[in-house]
């Protein structure tokens, strides 16, 4: 299992969450702030079985488009994704 720490722009969140839920993925949404721009963004924690990793990455690519932010405008990526091995997972 992997935990994807996925940082996305707020405007992309509704479409991404909808796509995740439609495809039976589970996610936790956290409000976050970028260290460089100090503007709000969203971090999703997505726990996924290894065999579905490519599928969830494809959904992120489809729904997170990136944007220009700040003054002067800086291009902010569609998503920043850290994939972390999960040593143990339990739902109690
Ligand atoms: P921010 O830190 O607010 O960064 C927003 C955008 O500003 C970045 O977009 C990048 O285009 C630019 N930027 C960031 N640091 C810079 C620097 N030192 N010099 C010049 N330009 C810089 P993205 O790279 O797409 O990142 C979007 C958001 O993803 C970031 O917001 C941050 O919240 C997160 N992020 C990106 N890389 C990260 C990392 N290595 N560790 C933790 N969070 C990261």
């Amino acid at each position: 299992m992997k935990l994807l720490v996925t940082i996305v722009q707020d405007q992309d969140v509704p479409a991404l969450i909808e796509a995740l839920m439609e495809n039976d993925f589970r996610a936790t949404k956290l409000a976050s702030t970028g260290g460089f721009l100090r503007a709000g963004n969203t971090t999703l924690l997505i726990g996924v079985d290894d065999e579905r990793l490519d599928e969830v990455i494809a959904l992120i690519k489809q729904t997170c488009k990136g944007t220009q932010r700040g003054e002067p405008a800086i291009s902010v990526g569609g998503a920043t994704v850290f994939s972390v091995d999960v040593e143990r997972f339990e739902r109690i």
Side-chain angles (χ1 to χ4, degrees):
M1 186 181 213
K2 298 278 188 286
L3 178 67
L4 301 187
V5 179
T6 308
I7 302 157
V8 300
Q9 301 308 299
D10 291 345
Q11 71 267 19
D12 293 328
V13 172
L16 177 54
I17 296 257
E18 194 176 324
L20 290 171
M21 296 302 120
E22 267 175 14
N23 288 278
D24 211 19
F25 290 105
R26 290 169 184 247
T28 296
K29 177 174 173 282
L30 307 173
S32 47
T33 303
F36 187 70
L37 291 178
R38 291 162 202 199
N41 54 28
T42 296
T43 299
L44 295 178
L45 303 180
I46 307 169
V48 58
D49 289 329
D50 287 1
E51 57 269 25
R52 296 196 73 197
L53 184 59
D54 290 345
E55 197 184 332
V56 75
I57 296 278
L59 287 180
I60 295 167
K61 282 186 180 160
Q62 279 162 29
T63 51
C64 298
K65 301 298 181 195
T67 188
Q68 301 274 321
R69 294 194 75 162
E71 190 56 52
I74 287 172
S75 98
V76 183
T80 300
V81 182
F82 299 89
S83 173
V84 181
D85 283 324
V86 175
E87 192 177 335
R88 177 168 164 168
F89 169 70
E90 290 186 35
R91 292 173 67 219
I92 296 167

